[in-house]
Amino acid sequence: MPEAKSDILIRVENLQKYFPIKLGFMNVQYVRAVEGATFVIKKGETLGLVGESGCGKTTLGRTILRLYEPTKGKIFYEEKDITNVNMLPYRRKMQIIFQDPSASLDPRMTVGEIVGEAIDIHKLSSNGKERQERIKELLAQVGLNTEHANRYPHEFSGGQQQRIGIARALAVKPEFIVCDEPISALDVSIQSQIVNMLEDMQEQIGLTYLFIAHDLSVVRHISNRIGVMYLGVIVEMASSTELYKNPLHPYTNTLLSAVPVPDPVVSRSRNRIILEGEIPSPMNPPSGCRFHTRCPYVTERCKQEEPAFREVAPEHFVACHLV
Amino acid sequence: MENKNLLEIKDLEISFFTPVGEVKAVGGISYDLQYGEVMGIVGESGSGKSVEAYSIIGLLQEPGKVVGGSITFEGEDILSYDKEQMQNFRGNKVSMIFQNPMTSLNPVYTIGNQLTEALTCHTKIGKSEAHGQAVEMLRQVGINNPEKRMGQYPHELSGGMRQRVMIAMALICRPKLLIADEPTTALDVTIQAQILELMKEIQQQTQMAIIFITHNLGVVAEICDKVSVMYAGRIIEQGTVDQIFYNPKHPYTLGLLRSMPRVDATEYERLIPIEGTPVDMLNLPTGCHFGPRCDHCMKICLKKEPPRVEIEEGHHAKCWLLTKNCERTEKTDA
């Protein structure tokens, strides 16, 4: 039995997150941010999550960490149900790196304090000297100098701030990190530095990532498996090579063809699928398949019946009637 | 002396005089743009790409100032224009699309109001005619039910719609040059694809020239004829799209291309990043500004600014490695 469960770190079952919006007295509507997400994250892998803004990918990431309380569904960490437990011990194991590094670091704390705070909360060092050593070690790990510990976040460039954010997440020696668009606020030449660093850490410490981003090229590069989200629903999930070679859901297809390729000859010859219209409101999602309003292959059935998320090939899940 | 260039920029220098010192945002750039040509300007934030474009349309704000060089549009020196001439020029011959459509549309005026304003300012047509033209323009940029949209306010439209309205507004006076400052950066990929497709279509119909400012090399490959790569206020390499993408000569251009993962990659390859941090514009390194981050940095790179070297027709770069007396030229080719 230990073998069977050993390779699964996180399991999410039918996870749902609604945000209430009060429109008036007795009139509450819900933003259906995440609906019925069921998947696993294996130990040591990187699961990528892509989708356009407002599709619920960040909400899903935060709900798994219980930074948002799930409306419905269950979250398991190493097969232990953590949906209703005190999260403090789990915060040591599960961390997050945020999108905007300048907004996620307290401007009044020095880098040393930011990184050290986590060590204090979880009582990871027995004395001051050990604590200092650990901070030094963490800063070195993310490519910063020891003297940076006494500086404030505003003294750093965006790329360096993101390194601080990563050091802060690593301070508690986590097993699992949600990377929520960790590079989209950075300059192009800095993005690859951070991507490489995340890959190195994974190799050294054996981390597991949930990598959330809207940039498909980066997600494809860093992930072992990828989930595609549309309007709160995971519509397709497969290994990254499989997903790019053999995308089954029409949305995945259009998303892939919409990404500009930095190669003039390829982009001249490429046949693009241009989607009509825009993403409907998550407050009032379309009936049936949520993609049916923009899908080029829509049928009557799509409008009424919600497609099930099923395995069509080994490890390849898709929610579409036409597959 | 007939010239076929729509726009000529020569040794343009722009500085910002800030309390902490002079920031040389643009340090001597030159390029020509022909009628109907689409040029991409790529560079990281702070490389001076937007500032340079703002100066063409006379929107450079205090404490920024053009301190040297010239901008010539259809043979006329724009920098000598007074306020009225500039107002006539702007919107009429050159117009601009901004990155964030929400902040660049006026929230308290209707779409129709803002669209017809440009027309009534620059032409002598009446209100009802302007209205008709505005509706037609909205239809052209792919907005459904344009009559209804004319009476709506910006907040009633989605991001992609607003960017379409911005484009309609920029194009309504049929300018000869459109400056697009990161027009798709704030948009989702599927919407970005729609807007790029629209811009390509309109460019082909109207044959206007476009300066397309972006940091996304994929977008450049898609829409541009030629590219200028900027770093720390200088154009460090310029050429046609094919020259830049298939035969990049400057280590920075090469570095940028190598550091990006591709969505159509067939196998996993580790990214090769450009090391170091972006330049501090207040303390620019002497010599080549890219020198401290460059893999091929030589002694001279840190002392003297490299000259502009012509590689072939229309393709030039600023790098010591490309000069005749540099032995390492061959090596970097390999």
Side-chain angles (χ1 to χ4, degrees):
Chain A
M1 186 174 158
E3 264 176 21
K5 67 176 181 183
S6 63
D7 68 325
I8 290 174
L9 186 67
I10 284 173
R11 194 154 60 83
V12 171
E13 242 173 47
N14 210 7
L15 198 67
Q16 188 184 69
K17 178 66 194 171
Y18 285 7
F19 293 103
I21 291 190
K22 289 199 178 104
L23 294 171
F25 182 64
M26 300 277 281
N27 183 3
V28 179
Q29 281 199 18
Y30 292 92
V31 171
R32 303 178 188 186
V34 175
E35 191 103 63
T38 303
F39 59 91
V40 295
I41 304 175
K42 292 174 201 151
K43 273 183 190 158
E45 79 165 347
T46 302
L47 177 69
L49 211 50
V50 286
E52 298 177 87
S53 50
C55 72
K57 54 191 192 301
T58 295
T59 308
L60 178 54
R62 293 189 176 191
T63 312
I64 290 174
L65 294 180
R66 282 197 44 219
L67 293 175
Y68 294 145
E69 291 302 331
T71 311
K72 233 194 216 167
K74 282 197 160 66
I75 311 157
F76 297 90
Y77 190 89
E78 291 187 316
E79 295 302 325
K80 278 189 254 353
D81 188 345
I82 59 165
T83 324
N84 291 308
V85 299
N86 173 15
M87 277 303 278
L88 187 67
Y90 288 98
R91 295 270 177 254
R92 255 205 72 184
K93 298 180 173 170
M94 307 161 85
Q95 281 290 320
I96 182 166
I97 301 167
F98 295 98
Q99 171 171 12
D100 186 346
S102 59
S104 53
L105 301 173
D106 190 329
R108 301 191 209 194
M109 285 164 82
T110 64
V111 171
E113 285 166 354
I114 291 171
V115 176
E117 193 182 26
I119 300 177
D120 299 340
I121 289 174
H122 293 282
K123 302 186 182 70
L124 296 177
S125 67
S126 45
N127 56 50
K129 197 169 163 239
E130 200 184 310
R131 181 175 180 271
Q132 285 307 321
E133 281 301 312
R134 178 78 185 126
I135 292 171
K136 228 198 261 179
E137 189 189 321
L138 282 163
L139 290 180
Q141 214 172 353
V142 296
L144 294 171
N145 300 328
T146 319
E147 56 263 36
H148 286 149
N150 299 320
R151 297 209 203 148
Y152 288 90
H154 75 266
E155 298 175 63
F156 295 89
S157 68
Q160 286 171 317
Q161 287 177 345
Q162 196 54 286
R163 287 169 193 267
I164 299 168
I166 295 172
R168 185 195 54 76
L170 290 177
V172 295
K173 297 189 180 161
E175 294 164 350
F176 173 66
I177 298 183
V178 174
C179 307
D180 187 5
E181 306 248 12
I183 60 162
S184 38
L186 306 177
D187 267 320
V188 198
S189 76
I190 306 299
Q191 291 189 350
S192 46
Q193 292 179 4
I194 300 293
V195 168
N196 279 0
M197 199 175 77
L198 289 171
E199 288 181 339
D200 290 343
M201 308 247 166
Q202 183 164 42
E203 204 165 290
Q204 286 159 17
I205 327 176
L207 288 166
T208 304
Y209 292 136
L210 176 65
F211 193 94
I212 301 167
H214 64 263
D215 184 336
L216 277 96
S217 331
V218 175
V219 172
R220 145 119 225 219
H221 174 81
I222 202 168
S223 310
N224 304 104
R225 291 189 305 133
I226 297 176
V228 181
M229 279 187 87
Y230 184 79
L231 216 57
V233 178
I234 298 177
V235 294
E236 187 161 4
M237 189 176 273
S239 77
S240 62
T241 22
E242 168 76 6
L243 190 83
Y244 281 80
K245 251 191 222 148
N246 187 21
L248 293 175
H249 199 282
Y251 180 64
T252 314
N253 236 322
T254 44
L255 207 55
L256 285 174
S257 89
V259 182
V261 176
D263 188 329
V265 170
V266 175
S267 74
R268 270 173 226 144
S269 62
R270 225 154 53 122
N271 233 343
R272 276 206 149 158
I273 313 162
I274 305 274
L275 274 190
E276 294 292 319
E278 314 202 6
I279 304 186
S281 158
M283 261 170 81
N284 194 7
S287 60
C289 171
R290 292 191 174 193
F291 187 57
H292 86 249
T293 51
R294 297 173 81 195
C295 183
Y297 314 106
V298 58
T299 64
E300 254 332 291
R301 188 176 170 207
C302 305
K303 291 178 189 169
Q304 278 142 28
E305 204 180 312
E306 198 169 331
F309 189 60
R310 60 209 162 86
E311 192 165 9
V312 287
E315 294 281 301
H316 194 153
F317 295 84
V318 66
C320 179
H321 290 310
L322 301 168
V323 179
Chain B
M1 207 183 81
E2 210 43 62
N3 65 44
K4 57 182 165 60
N5 286 337
L6 175 68
L7 179 75
E8 283 174 24
I9 289 185
K10 266 213 175 72
D11 304 318
L12 184 70
E13 285 177 46
I14 300 168
S15 282
F16 282 78
F17 296 93
T18 66
V20 281
E22 181 184 351
V23 176
K24 289 182 177 151
V26 174
I29 63 167
S30 308
Y31 62 84
D32 301 331
L33 191 69
Q34 291 174 9
Y35 284 94
E37 201 170 28
V38 183
M39 182 173 90
I41 300 184
V42 275
E44 298 177 62
S45 42
S47 61
K49 53 192 196 304
S50 295
V51 171
E52 176 266 328
Y54 278 44
S55 69
I56 300 171
I57 196 166
L59 288 179
L60 203 58
Q61 279 181 337
E62 289 287 327
K65 242 179 129 175
V66 175
V67 289
S70 65
I71 305 175
T72 319
F73 188 90
E74 296 197 300
E76 281 189 55
D77 177 16
I78 299 178
L79 294 174
S80 67
Y81 276 2
D82 61 25
K83 216 174 168 184
E84 200 179 322
Q85 281 174 308
M86 197 70 221
Q87 213 144 55
N88 195 23
F89 170 73
R90 191 184 327 161
N92 208 1
K93 288 183 174 161
V94 180
S95 56
M96 189 152 182
I97 314 173
F98 299 90
Q99 178 176 153
N100 191 337
M102 190 58 210
T103 50
S104 31
L105 287 169
N106 193 331
V108 296
Y109 287 103
T110 60
I111 302 296
N113 230 319
Q114 301 184 52
L115 268 171
T116 48
E117 187 192 9
L119 270 178
T120 44
C121 272
H122 291 295
T123 53
K124 287 198 181 95
I125 59 170
K127 257 192 184 164
S128 62
E129 203 178 328
H131 183 89
Q133 281 191 29
V135 171
E136 190 41 48
M137 198 68 230
L138 284 179
R139 191 167 290 132
Q140 245 185 60
V141 297
I143 288 181
N144 55 8
N145 210 345
E147 286 285 353
K148 184 182 155 208
R149 304 286 178 206
M150 289 288 281
Q152 286 185 319
Y153 290 89
H155 74 264
E156 296 176 74
L157 307 180
S158 66
M161 274 308 180
R162 283 182 211 138
Q163 199 56 288
R164 283 171 194 265
V165 170
M166 281 295 296
I167 293 173
M169 217 153 113
L171 298 182
I172 201 155
C173 288
R174 306 262 163 226
K176 287 177 175 156
L177 172 63
L178 175 71
I179 298 170
D181 186 6
E182 308 244 10
T184 59
T185 309
L187 306 174
D188 277 317
V189 273
T190 57
I191 310 296
Q192 168 173 288
Q194 289 175 0
I195 297 289
L196 286 180
E197 207 60 28
L198 173 72
M199 289 184 73
K200 266 196 268 185
E201 213 173 274
I202 289 176
Q203 199 274 335
Q204 270 156 19
Q205 279 167 20
T206 59
Q207 283 302 312
M208 67 177 168
I210 301 179
I211 294 179
F212 203 103
I213 302 167
T214 178
H215 61 257
N216 188 332
L217 284 162
V219 172
V220 170
E222 186 121 325
I223 198 167
C224 298
D225 302 318
K226 65 178 188 185
V227 193
S228 295
V229 184
M230 285 188 77
Y231 188 80
R234 304 252 188 319
I235 292 180
I236 51 105
E237 185 162 3
Q238 190 173 60
T240 63
V241 208
D242 289 35
Q243 284 165 343
I244 295 289
F245 281 88
Y246 300 128
N247 191 19
K249 286 296 181 193
H250 197 286
Y252 177 66
T253 316
L254 189 67
L256 273 187
L257 287 167
R258 274 197 313 201
S259 68
M260 287 200 323
R262 282 178 58 160
V263 77
D264 58 344
T266 42
E267 56 195 89
Y268 175 84
E269 269 174 58
R270 199 175 155 83
L271 302 178
I272 309 168
I274 301 175
E275 295 301 336
T277 51
V279 281
D280 176 4
M281 292 302 284
L282 269 169
N283 303 301
L284 282 176
T286 46
C288 174
H289 296 331
F290 186 60
R293 294 178 74 185
C294 183
D295 288 339
H296 309 282
C297 187
M298 303 176 291
K299 270 186 191 161
I300 191 166
C301 301
L302 299 175
K303 285 185 192 142
K304 267 177 94 177
E305 194 176 332
R308 183 169 138 155
V309 183
E310 179 114 18
I311 296 139
E312 53 182 49
E313 167 112 45
H315 187 189
H316 54 79
K318 276 182 130 181
C319 181
W320 282 112
L321 290 170
L322 305 169
T323 52
K324 277 221 173 77
N325 47 8
C326 179
E327 291 164 13
R328 294 183 55 188
T329 316
E330 295 307 309
K331 274 190 211 161
T332 48
D333 276 353

